[in-house]
């Protein structure tokens, strides 16, 4: 059965309202679509509540604080980290209320260690990515923190079967040596594929050990990240499929044929005043290249469709409409898989 979920971000600053909408809409889907609620992130609350702040709140024994250029590691926990952790507790409590009595799969979005290391600075120096020892420390610390987070979610929603969505939007530039240094004049050394695969495996193994049903790595829009995901013990991969091209779909096929799961973040639905949202076109964005690359249409039943983060300026109503449209597109994908 084709599933629908989301990548995490949601408009607004009221986490309880956002979580109730997401859970409510995704537990009430047509029979042919498996709606999978996800834990929301609210970037509108500021840097303490976005994906980076939420990930730093997870780290064990690696405090961080906000500096002039964003988050950086710190010697001691301070006000900024305290605020990020307070938001994390608020998010957990909201999930407990919104998903009270829920029994089923639940997606837990988390920023991955390599993208985190590419965004956060050392306490005194360049980005964490510039220090291989610090990168290893982030991998280990995030894995430990994720174990605690999964436990918190399961205690809050005892019926939840947690699946982690590990966001690594900067994995491709990290592996290509394309992340700029603090000065911008240089590029930081690339992290080799086997090192990335080992780091992803450490986080995936920790998540499953804590009771998660699996972990998927979201590589953003770059298909080149799939090689490291395939070499790791991660259970699957996710991609923004718009524009990945023939080579990208060949990598998707290799991933699927290797037994990994796949989640597709579909492009937004095109709309017109006469015809309204193009639900069929959104489904076609997945099913046509899937068939062209030689993958069996029946295997689309195992694919999860992901709602993208709402664009800047979008409100909760627009986000909810986009999610509802994706559910309708998933119905078309499910029908095509069943007819194959």
């Amino acid at each position: 059965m084709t599933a629908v979920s989301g990548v995490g971000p949601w408009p607004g600053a009221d986490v309880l309202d956002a979580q109730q909408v997401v859970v409510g809409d995704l537990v009430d889907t047509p029979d042919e679509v498996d709606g999978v609620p996800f834990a929301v992130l609210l970037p509108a609350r500021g840097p303490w509540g976005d994906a980076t702040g939420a990930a730093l709140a997870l780290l064990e024994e690696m405090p961080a604080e906000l500096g002039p250029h964003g988050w950086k590691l710190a010697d001691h926990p301070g006000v900024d980290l305290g605020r990020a952790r307070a938001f994390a507790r608020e998010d957990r409590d909201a999930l407990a209320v919104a998903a009270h009595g829920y029994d089923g799969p639940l997606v837990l979005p988390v920023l991955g260690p390599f993208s985190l290391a590419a965004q956060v600075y050392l306490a005194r120096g360049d980005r964490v990515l510039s220090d291989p020892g610090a990168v290893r420390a982030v991998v280990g610390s995030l894995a430990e923190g994720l174990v605690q987070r999964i436990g918190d979610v399961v205690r809050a929603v005892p019926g939840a079967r947690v699946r982690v969505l590990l966001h690594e939007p900067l994995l491709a530039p990290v592996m290509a040596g394309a992340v700029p240094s603090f000065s911008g004049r240089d590029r930081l050394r690339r992290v080799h594929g086997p090192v990335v695969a080992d780091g992803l495996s450490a986080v995936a193994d920790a998540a499953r050990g804590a009771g998660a049903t699996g972990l998927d790595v979201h590589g953003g829009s770059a298909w080149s990240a799939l090689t490291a995901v395939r070499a790791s013990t991660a259970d699957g991969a996710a991609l923004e499929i718009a524009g990945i091209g023939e080579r990208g779909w060949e990598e998707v096929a290799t991933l699927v044929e290797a037994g990994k799961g796949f989640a597709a973040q579909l492009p937004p639905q095109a709309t017109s005043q006469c015809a309204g949202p193009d639900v069929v076109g959104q489904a076609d964005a997945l099913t046509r290249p899937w068939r062209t690359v030689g993958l069996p249409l029946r295997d689309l039943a195992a694919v999860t469709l992901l709602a993208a983060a709402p664009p800047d300026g979008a409100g909760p109503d627009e986000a909810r409409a986009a999610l509802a449209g994706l559910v309708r597109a998933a119905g078309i994908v499910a029908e095509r898989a069943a007819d194959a």
Side-chain angles (χ1 to χ4, degrees), residues 90-119:
E90 184 180 336
D91 294 349
R92 177 202 60 202
D93 294 345
L95 183 61
V97 173
H100 178 71
Y102 175 70
D103 186 355
L106 176 73
V107 169
L108 178 62
V110 177
L111 185 64
F114 295 100
S115 293
L116 186 63
Q119 294 182 26

Side-chain angles (χ1 to χ4, degrees), residues 1 58 327:
M1 184 183 297
L58 288 179
V327 169

Side-chain angles (χ1 to χ4, degrees), residues 257-272:
E257 290 165 354
K260 300 282 190 183
F262 182 64
Q265 181 179 320
L266 269 57
Q269 291 178 0
T271 59
S272 69

Side-chain angles (χ1 to χ4, degrees), residues 75-89:
D75 296 325
H76 305 286
V79 174
D80 294 316
L81 185 59
R83 191 169 182 182
R85 287 175 172 169
F87 277 143
R89 292 190 295 270

Side-chain angles (χ1 to χ4, degrees), residues 3-339:
V4 172
S5 192
V7 296
W10 196 261
D14 186 334
V15 66
L16 179 57
D17 180 68
Q19 197 67 75
Q20 286 176 323
V21 167
V22 166
V23 173
D25 287 2
L26 286 175
V27 299
D28 187 23
T29 55
D31 291 342
E32 67 273 15
V33 176
D34 188 11
V36 181
F38 57 94
V40 298
L41 292 167
L42 303 184
R45 295 186 299 189
W48 313 274
D50 64 10
T52 304
L56 290 169
L58 288 179
L59 295 186
E60 292 288 324
E61 299 183 359
M62 289 192 77
E65 63 186 3
L66 282 169
H69 305 286
W71 285 102
K72 65 175 185 174
L73 300 182
D75 296 325
H76 305 286
V79 174
D80 294 316
L81 185 59
R83 191 169 182 182
R85 287 175 172 169
F87 277 143
R89 292 190 295 270
E90 184 180 336
D91 294 349
R92 177 202 60 202
D93 294 345
L95 183 61
V97 173
H100 178 71
Y102 175 70
D103 186 355
L106 176 73
V107 169
L108 178 62
V110 177
L111 185 64
F114 295 100
S115 293
L116 186 63
Q119 294 182 26
V120 176
Y121 290 87
L122 297 165
R124 287 166 288 277
D126 213 310
R127 300 177 194 269
V128 172
L129 191 65
S130 66
D131 183 338
V135 173
R136 288 192 295 271
V138 167
V139 170
S141 182
L142 185 69
E144 291 180 23
L146 184 56
V147 167
Q148 297 298 321
R149 180 64 169 169
I150 292 169
D152 288 345
V153 170
V154 172
R155 284 186 290 272
V157 188
R161 299 191 296 275
V162 176
R163 191 173 184 96
V164 177
L165 182 63
L166 195 73
H167 282 283
E168 285 284 8
L170 298 178
L171 194 55
V174 164
M175 295 174 64
V179 176
S181 64
F182 173 76
S183 68
R185 293 191 297 267
D186 300 307
R187 295 290 181 267
L188 300 180
R189 287 178 298 178
R190 64 186 293 250
V191 181
H192 294 280
V195 175
V196 171
D198 287 347
L200 297 177
S201 295
V203 178
D205 294 347
R208 287 190 297 267
T213 61
L215 179 144
D216 302 313
V217 180
H218 195 317
S221 59
W223 56 261
S224 58
L226 294 182
T227 303
V229 177
R230 194 171 66 245
S232 75
T233 61
D235 299 278
L239 272 184
E240 301 172 25
I241 63 170
I244 64 172
E246 182 179 350
R247 177 66 190 280
W249 279 107
E250 289 173 355
E251 288 293 330
V252 170
T254 301
L255 178 92
V256 172
E257 290 165 354
K260 300 282 190 183
F262 182 64
Q265 181 179 320
L266 269 57
Q269 291 178 0
T271 59
S272 69
Q273 290 183 341
C274 297
D278 185 6
V279 179
V280 174
Q282 190 178 40
D284 286 344
L286 171 63
T287 61
R288 284 181 176 175
W290 185 274
R291 182 170 49 209
T292 299
V293 82
L295 289 169
L297 281 179
R298 64 179 179 274
D299 289 352
L300 285 168
V303 174
T304 298
L305 309 189
L306 295 175
D312 292 342
D317 289 343
E318 290 94 334
R320 192 174 188 183
L323 186 59
L326 186 65
V327 169
R328 292 192 293 272
I332 295 172
V333 172
E335 182 180 348
R336 291 174 180 176
D339 290 344

